[in-house]
Amino acid sequence: QIQLLESGGGLVRPGESLRLSCVESTGTFSGDTMAWFRQAPGKEREFVAAINWSRRTTKYSDSVKGRFTISRDSAKNTIYLQMFSLKPEDTAVYFCTARVRWNVQFWNYRMYDNWGQGTQVTVSA
């Protein structure tokens, strides 16, 4: 099974930025789809962003579009989530996930079965 490891979370003020990283550490992942989800206490896991490098497609939730950017470094087997203009409502544990093939329900966490442990992002004044 593949292993995903997130990093880069932390405590920031509103309006500041963070860049999250997710490394697939085994080097065995042969799929073409990875995504970021987040989960706040007491809430369901929600979609943030997805990338498919075969289709050259990126997708974003309405809540982060224009502020967050998902990208991939194939040489490092790593995806990133660059987050600008962070808001308190962005506070959550951010999870990295992967799927072998793209799915029309890319926004649905139930479509993914490989997850990292998450990294905490806290946005507070």
Side-chain angles (χ1 to χ4, degrees), residues 58-99:
T58 58
K59 300 289 186 181
Y60 299 92
S61 68
D62 289 341
S63 63
V64 308
K65 187 177 181 180
R67 298 188 299 122
F68 292 9
T69 301
I70 188 171
S71 61
R72 173 180 178 252
D73 186 333
S74 60
K76 298 180 179 179
N77 202 28
T78 300
I79 64 164
Y80 304 93
L81 186 68
Q82 179 67 61
M83 305 184 293
F84 293 105
S85 301
L86 283 162
K87 304 175 180 180
E89 49 264 47
D90 295 318
T91 296
V93 177
Y94 283 69
F95 295 93
C96 175
T97 188
R99 199 177 192 277

Side-chain angles (χ1 to χ4, degrees), residues 33-39 44-51 59-61 95-115:
T33 301
M34 295 182 72
W36 291 95
F37 287 74
R38 65 188 183 187
Q39 189 166 22
E44 196 169 54
R45 192 163 298 189
E46 68 172 339
F47 171 73
V48 177
I51 184 168
K59 300 289 186 181
Y60 299 92
S61 68
F95 295 93
C96 175
T97 188
R99 199 177 192 277
V100 174
R101 292 179 293 275
W102 183 256
N103 190 283
V104 66
Q105 293 189 353
F106 59 86
W107 47 266
N108 187 347
Y109 72 88
R110 297 177 178 87
M111 296 294 103
Y112 302 85
D113 58 2
N114 297 294
W115 296 90

Side-chain angles (χ1 to χ4, degrees), residues 1-6 22-35 53 77-79 96-101 111-117:
Q1 189 78 311
I2 66 170
Q3 295 183 11
L4 302 172
L5 180 61
E6 305 95 333
C22 175
V23 179
E24 199 294 293
S25 60
T26 70
T28 61
F29 180 57
S30 60
D32 61 6
T33 301
M34 295 182 72
W53 45 94
N77 202 28
T78 300
I79 64 164
C96 175
T97 188
R99 199 177 192 277
V100 174
R101 292 179 293 275
M111 296 294 103
Y112 302 85
D113 58 2
N114 297 294
W115 296 90
Q117 293 297 305

